[in-house]
Amino acid sequence: MKQYLFIVFIVTAGQAGLAQQRDSLKQASLHEVIIQGSGPAAKPVATATQVELKNVQLFQTRGNSLGESLKSIPGLNSIQTGPSISKPVIHGLHSNRVLILNNGVRQEGQQWGSEHAPEIDPFTAGHISIIEGAASIRYGSDAMAGVVLLEPKALPENKLLGGTVSLTGASNGRMGAMSAMLEGAGTHQLEGLQWRMLGTFKRAGNFRTAHYYMENTGLQEGDYAATLAYHRRQYGLSVYYSSYHTKLGIFSGSHVGNLQDLDSAFARPRPITPSYFSYKIGRSYQVVHHDLFKANGYYNFNNGGKMELVFARQKDLRQEYDVDYPYSNDPAVLRAPQISFQIITHTADLLYHAPAKGPFHTLLGLSGSTQGNVFSGLRYLVPNFRNYSGGAYAIEKYTRGKLTLEAGLRYDYRWLRVYRRDEATLYLYQNTHTYANATATGGATYQPGGRFSVNANIGTAWRAPSVNELYINGIHLSAAAYERGDSTLSSERSINTTLGLKYTAPKLFVQVTLYNNQINHYIYAKPLLQSIHIISGTYPLFQYTQQDVRLRGVDAEADWDFTKHLTLVSKAAVVRGFNKSIHDWLVFMPADHFDNQLQYHFTSTSTWLQPYVSLQYAYTARQSRVPPHSDYVAPPAAYGLWNVSLGSDIAIGKRTLRADLTVNNLTNVAYRDYLNRFRYYTDDLGASVVLRLSTSF
Amino acid sequence: MKKKTSIPLLLLASGALLMHACKKDEKAVAPPVPGNEFLTTVKIRAVNTQDPADVQVASWTDTTLIAHPADSINTPVLNLKAHATYNAEVLFLDETKSPAGDVTSEIRERQNYHLICFSGSTSLPLTVKRTDLDTNSPALEVGLEDLFTTGAAGTGQLNVQLRHQPNAKNGSCEPGSTDADVTYTINIK
């Protein structure tokens, strides 16, 4: 029974390879170890390096946004707009080039802007992993950088009632987050019935840099989710609903009307906005609602094959309120957001896991989606559109002894129609674009001895241009930039080669991943080095264009257990982005990052289980590889942050309380990060004391 | 067995139904929001304090939002007499509609959030003094009404900016962001 229940889980996430086995060994006595079934499709070997966040690592990100949560994985960064908005960056790529799978459903929001964060409550995830290589083509053709998989932990098997309460408090922003989960399973007549409910509330006020508060950077978030599942020996069915709501303040010091404002903002060592603490969120702010409904079913055939069907509906509403009210007397206009987008997406996925034939495992799939976007606002930004897309894929895996081979093929078709109104005649017109492309990937893993393994992967991916890249025409207020789309853009195509080496010994673990991602027709907003003059001032003009680029890099991690108690964990991530068309560097690539952490694990007592203390030094170099005239200001200086944390599981009666106390940026360093869009205006976060508590029953 | 296999089919059918049932809202492209005022024109109207018949007007217009003619930006010229004083008004208009919408009154309503800043080129023999005050305490200048004092004959550029300073107005031009930023040629004869 267990085997069938966890099969979905295994196929998507169980392939974490040796790292997971090793982690399981290390954390064997912690109570949230991932249960691994052994279905026919499960094989803990993948031909591309995969990494994941779970247990203590995941617990230590509780209360952070999704983008922030992933930063501890080598090769992952986050692109930020102030302290509250961040999104993941994988190997230098982000937004539409990173797929996020939330509980098996492709996250579809307004994800194109750097200030549009993924609309996901990370508390719903019991497990976060990054998938690259052949396995990723299952999720879509456009995963040029990889797939972020967020999955809930497995539903209870036979526990009548259980639950978890998590609390996080942080001194910076006086942030509080609380998440409560209740779950249960039916017994006797109701056997096979499982349910879960989860609610999260989060609130923060103005965040503080080393020397001052950032005015209007508070946030409020309230989310809930519910699952109901029923499974029998041969089939299972489940429905899931989640609702995410947030209101995010935008730092007052970031409002600029024109280039001159921007220049004077850079020139200031600190913003001239007042420094004080408040939970109040004033203009400007964003309000985002995301609702997800998902229904899925599976059926196990007698021959060992399995069919799965997933249907999902997502509604994403995003409203942006400018710093001032519109110039109007009409109360309805005054209340309305300046810009609003609503996108409704329906997706359907059909998967067939063919019965294993000797060393061969086959996965076949079909996926389809339709999407409608409605834009309204007081100023034009992007048009309405309707999008239909369909894809078919096959993934074949061959395992024999020390060798695993994996290959995938996928074909996608996309139809996009935009609806616009001619500003002169108010006449409606439409443009239609179609895109069709094939994706292929292949990889191999070879494990000659017990300790050493090597994997290599080559894959292509393509991504159709998004609507903003095709049709945007307007001002990005926070950056004083005027962006213009190009409706003649064609699809991007990448060839990504990776090589991974792994060494696992009792006291030493080393993993190195090298990659070379060649992207032809890479789409980005190129500064035209000319300005556009409109009544609100002079703006630098950015035009979406396509060029050939190459992203190369290394991610490395080494864990060395000096003694039974002391471990050194070192990580490095280096990426080089090069624009071959202009023979110069590619802008907005993450700077080199090195992270060293010394962990001391104390001996457990009957009360204190697995207590630990750790000291971390994370160093980010200066990004020196930027072409001239590519940005308003030079990249910020290198910085190093000290973080310290201590924690333990504490046995209180029959219960266990997990506790962690962390001080981030211990020495209260004032710094700015190259990937934070607000580095133009303000320093990044100062010291923060974070307490995390969690207990399950 | 028959019952079991029907479940995925049922799901598929309900999925298809849901997909079909969704409305095609995107086809109804919203017309420009009625009642919203666009800022298209900044006008200076100067009246000679010695001679009420001497009224000079210059308009800086950005009709990017108006379809015909598109993207027209004019280069306004204001002619003033030497060694004279003028009572000047700065007017903000929405010329996307007819008659033009009055944005000046909206700015006056939110005068505690706004400041109009003037900066003349060094060759321009003109001093500008704001004569109106808002209701902040202490009261701060607004700049919708001004006194222009000209010197000897000459010519130069005068830059006018509407600064938007919510909760930050302190009398200086620095805080906030720019809502309008236009430049006039001033001829003093």
Side-chain angles (χ1 to χ4, degrees):
Chain A
M1 186 80 83
K2 199 180 225 175
Q3 179 176 323
Y4 295 120
L5 176 68
F6 288 114
I7 206 155
V8 181
F9 199 67
I10 294 151
V11 172
T12 52
Q15 307 183 338
L18 289 172
Q20 183 171 356
Q21 287 180 351
R22 190 176 164 281
D23 278 6
S24 306
L25 281 174
K26 247 189 184 173
Q27 297 165 351
S29 56
L30 297 177
H31 58 258
E32 272 183 19
V33 170
I34 306 282
I35 301 155
Q36 250 189 317
S38 53
K43 192 75 190 169
V45 179
T47 59
T49 311
Q50 298 183 358
V51 278
E52 61 184 323
L53 272 185
K54 59 188 174 63
N55 287 320
V56 175
Q57 258 190 319
L58 185 61
F59 175 64
Q60 285 180 336
T61 68
R62 289 308 193 197
N64 292 355
S65 65
L66 177 64
E68 282 291 293
S69 301
L70 298 169
K71 272 178 136 175
S72 57
I73 297 175
L76 268 84
N77 295 80
S78 72
I79 186 160
Q80 283 171 270
T81 300
S84 49
I85 300 172
S86 78
K87 65 202 304 178
V89 177
I90 302 179
H91 293 162
L93 300 172
H94 58 85
S95 301
N96 289 329
R97 297 185 185 96
V98 173
L99 270 181
I100 301 175
L101 262 286
N102 183 11
N103 192 4
V105 180
R106 255 181 88 121
Q107 178 75 13
E108 292 287 353
Q110 301 285 358
Q111 54 211 332
W112 39 274
S114 69
E115 77 281 27
H116 301 185
E119 306 87 349
I120 293 175
D121 170 17
F123 277 104
T124 57
H127 181 107
I128 301 179
S129 52
I130 310 298
I131 307 281
E132 291 169 43
S136 75
I137 73 160
R138 173 181 163 180
Y139 304 105
S141 60
D142 39 3
M144 297 207 133
V147 179
V148 178
L149 223 55
L150 287 104
E151 288 173 308
K153 60 175 194 160
L155 286 162
E157 278 281 282
N158 45 23
K159 202 174 176 184
L160 207 58
L161 184 69
T164 305
V165 177
S166 306
L167 292 170
T168 301
S171 67
N172 202 337
R174 300 184 203 168
M175 193 269 282
M178 185 190 143
S179 188
M181 187 265 280
L182 271 183
E183 60 185 7
T187 51
H188 307 298
Q189 294 99 318
L190 293 172
E191 198 184 337
L193 199 68
Q194 301 163 302
W195 60 274
R196 172 179 290 155
M197 289 189 301
L198 185 135
T200 299
F201 184 76
K202 185 173 164 183
R203 191 171 192 197
N206 291 347
F207 287 91
R208 203 183 143 83
T209 67
H211 305 299
Y212 49 88
Y213 284 100
M214 291 177 273
E215 194 190 27
N216 202 41
T217 50
L219 67 97
Q220 261 168 269
E221 185 183 315
D223 318 313
Y224 61 88
T227 315
L228 187 66
Y230 183 65
H231 70 95
R232 304 306 282 169
R233 197 178 144 69
Q234 278 203 296
Y235 65 90
L237 206 62
S238 78
V239 286
Y240 173 79
Y241 186 82
S242 74
S243 190
Y244 171 94
H245 307 271
T246 187
K247 181 176 177 180
L248 295 158
I250 307 294
F251 173 51
S252 307
S254 72
H255 298 293
V256 288
N258 59 17
L259 203 51
Q260 199 183 331
D261 286 358
L262 195 61
D263 283 335
S264 48
F266 305 150
R268 293 174 197 130
R270 62 179 276 174
I272 53 172
T273 49
S275 164
Y276 62 92
F277 179 80
S278 167
Y279 281 112
K280 188 174 173 285
I281 300 172
R283 296 179 83 103
S284 68
Y285 61 91
Q286 305 178 348
V287 176
V288 183
H289 301 285
H290 191 94
D291 292 289
L292 165 68
F293 169 78
K294 174 194 162 193
N296 70 320
Y298 65 83
Y299 186 81
N300 292 308
F301 297 102
N302 290 331
N303 64 3
K306 183 186 176 182
M307 186 81 102
E308 272 183 78
L309 180 71
V310 183
F311 166 79
R313 179 187 192 270
Q314 292 174 73
K315 182 172 134 182
D316 187 270
L317 174 66
R318 176 180 183 84
Q319 298 173 316
E320 297 185 0
Y321 294 80
D322 280 1
V323 67
D324 194 16
Y325 293 96
Y327 292 115
S328 173
N329 282 321
D330 184 346
V333 174
L334 290 175
R335 272 196 306 273
Q338 263 89 348
I339 288 184
S340 149
F341 314 91
Q342 179 172 280
I343 190 161
I344 296 178
T345 311
H346 291 86
T347 49
D349 289 275
L350 187 67
L351 264 91
Y352 178 66
H353 303 267
K357 279 193 186 129
F360 292 100
H361 298 279
T362 309
L363 177 69
L364 300 171
L366 283 174
S367 61
S369 88
T370 172
Q371 201 165 49
N373 194 28
V374 177
F375 171 83
S376 66
L378 303 181
R379 51 169 197 269
Y380 172 82
L381 201 60
V382 290
N384 291 1
F385 67 84
R386 164 70 41 183
N387 178 23
Y388 291 99
S389 53
Y393 58 91
I395 300 173
E396 187 69 39
K397 198 166 174 178
Y398 170 89
T399 313
R400 186 145 228 180
K402 296 165 179 170
L403 183 70
T404 301
L405 299 173
E406 206 174 14
L409 198 64
R410 184 179 171 112
Y411 180 81
D412 286 272
Y413 178 79
R414 184 173 188 231
W415 181 95
L416 173 74
R417 177 168 286 172
V418 303
Y419 301 92
R420 304 182 70 182
R421 190 182 286 275
D422 186 292
E423 282 164 9
T425 59
L426 298 185
Y427 177 76
L428 273 181
Y429 67 99
Q430 57 196 41
N431 287 349
T432 309
H433 303 260
T434 56
Y435 305 92
N437 270 302
T439 308
T441 174
T445 297
Y446 184 62
Q447 208 169 342
R451 291 182 171 180
F452 190 71
S453 82
V454 53
N455 64 61
N457 203 286
I458 180 160
T460 65
W462 70 280
R463 186 181 71 88
S466 60
V467 162
N468 65 307
E469 290 163 339
L470 295 167
Y471 289 104
I472 195 171
N473 191 4
I475 301 166
H476 263 240
L477 283 179
S478 65
Y482 194 102
E483 285 189 4
R484 245 187 217 160
D486 177 357
S487 62
T488 65
L489 294 175
S490 58
S491 301
E492 295 182 338
R493 156 117 7 227
S494 78
I495 299 174
N496 193 4
T497 324
T498 57
L499 177 69
L501 304 164
K502 202 176 333 190
Y503 179 80
T504 314
K507 291 194 167 189
L508 183 68
F509 167 75
V510 180
Q511 177 169 299
V512 179
T513 307
L514 299 149
Y515 58 91
N516 181 23
N517 199 356
Q518 163 81 48
I519 308 176
N520 290 336
H521 308 303
Y522 176 84
I523 301 169
Y524 76 109
K526 183 189 179 181
L528 281 191
L529 303 181
Q530 70 184 58
S531 50
I532 181 163
H533 201 107
I534 54 180
I535 201 142
S536 55
T538 304
Y539 296 87
L541 190 57
F542 287 82
Q543 171 74 52
Y544 276 95
T545 185
Q546 299 193 292
Q547 290 182 323
D548 294 346
V549 305
R550 182 184 64 218
L551 300 166
R552 257 181 203 167
V554 186
D555 300 330
E557 178 173 349
D559 300 6
W560 186 13
D561 297 333
F562 293 111
T563 67
K564 208 176 123 194
H565 296 287
L566 194 64
T567 306
L568 175 72
V569 178
S570 292
K571 296 173 190 169
V574 170
V575 53
R576 295 285 176 269
F578 194 75
N579 185 336
K580 296 198 294 183
S581 300
I582 60 164
H583 298 283
D584 208 334
W585 299 106
L586 188 61
V587 285
F588 303 126
M589 285 293 124
D592 298 347
H593 186 77
F594 305 95
D595 184 341
N596 289 289
Q597 194 176 16
L598 206 55
Q599 300 168 347
Y600 189 84
H601 300 271
F602 299 94
T603 309
S604 296
T605 68
S606 58
T607 311
W608 303 91
L609 309 169
Q610 305 254 322
Y612 59 87
V613 55
S614 75
L615 180 69
Q616 182 185 27
Y617 182 71
Y619 176 81
T620 304
R622 181 172 183 271
Q623 179 54 283
S624 53
R625 289 160 298 276
V626 289
H629 312 297
S630 60
D631 200 354
Y632 308 112
V633 269
Y639 64 90
L641 302 180
W642 289 96
N643 305 317
V644 62
S645 76
L646 72 154
S648 177
D649 282 9
I650 307 159
I652 305 168
K654 278 186 184 170
R655 308 224 186 292
T656 309
L657 177 73
R658 179 172 286 184
D660 180 274
L661 183 73
T662 300
V663 184
N664 291 321
N665 192 1
L666 188 69
T667 52
N668 202 24
V669 171
Y671 68 100
R672 297 188 183 202
D673 189 88
Y674 181 61
L675 289 188
N676 191 339
R677 198 179 174 115
F678 280 5
R679 73 184 153 90
Y680 300 143
Y681 317 110
T682 175
D683 289 346
D684 227 307
L685 294 180
S688 183
V689 182
V690 188
L691 177 67
R692 295 184 170 91
L693 299 171
S694 168
T695 185
S696 298
F697 57 90
Chain B
M1 190 67 199
K2 198 178 168 225
K3 194 184 159 204
K4 285 169 185 169
T5 41
S6 68
I7 286 166
L9 283 173
L10 205 74
L11 264 166
L12 191 71
S14 61
L17 206 74
L18 262 162
M19 275 199 198
H20 188 73
C22 68
K23 278 179 277 160
K24 302 284 188 283
D25 291 335
E26 70 281 354
K27 285 186 183 168
V29 181
V33 178
N36 178 52
E37 311 269 5
F38 294 99
L39 187 48
T40 64
T41 304
V42 183
K43 192 185 262 188
I44 296 180
R45 188 168 176 274
V47 182
N48 194 326
T49 52
Q50 303 302 313
D51 174 10
D54 177 14
V55 179
Q56 300 297 326
V57 178
S59 266
W60 205 106
T61 308
D62 171 9
T63 50
T64 320
L65 287 163
I66 305 173
H68 300 291
D71 294 338
S72 68
I73 289 174
N74 55 6
T75 48
V77 180
L78 189 69
N79 295 308
L80 302 176
K81 290 200 169 68
H83 303 293
T85 52
Y86 288 83
N87 283 317
E89 292 177 276
V90 186
L91 302 165
F92 297 89
L93 304 174
D94 172 10
E95 292 189 331
T96 57
K97 54 188 166 194
S98 177
D102 175 19
V103 181
T104 321
S105 61
E106 316 291 336
I107 294 167
R108 189 169 282 120
E109 249 172 59
R110 281 173 242 156
Q111 59 185 350
N112 289 12
Y113 281 7
H114 286 101
L115 179 68
I116 295 156
C117 294
F118 301 87
S119 76
S121 54
T122 45
S123 63
L124 181 67
L126 174 75
T127 54
V128 179
K129 166 102 186 74
R130 303 183 195 102
T131 55
D132 50 350
L133 295 173
D134 65 18
T135 58
N136 276 313
S137 90
L140 299 167
E141 294 173 355
V142 183
L144 288 169
E145 288 158 30
D146 309 279
L147 188 69
F148 283 16
T149 308
T150 59
T155 192
Q157 307 291 316
L158 179 69
N159 176 267
V160 179
Q161 286 192 17
L162 172 61
R163 299 287 296 170
H164 176 231
Q165 308 175 322
N167 305 317
K169 188 170 172 179
N170 62 4
S172 86
C173 292
E174 208 184 359
S177 57
T178 305
D179 280 359
D181 177 357
V182 297
T183 302
Y184 301 85
T185 300
I186 311 275
N187 288 324
I188 297 171
K189 287 172 193 163

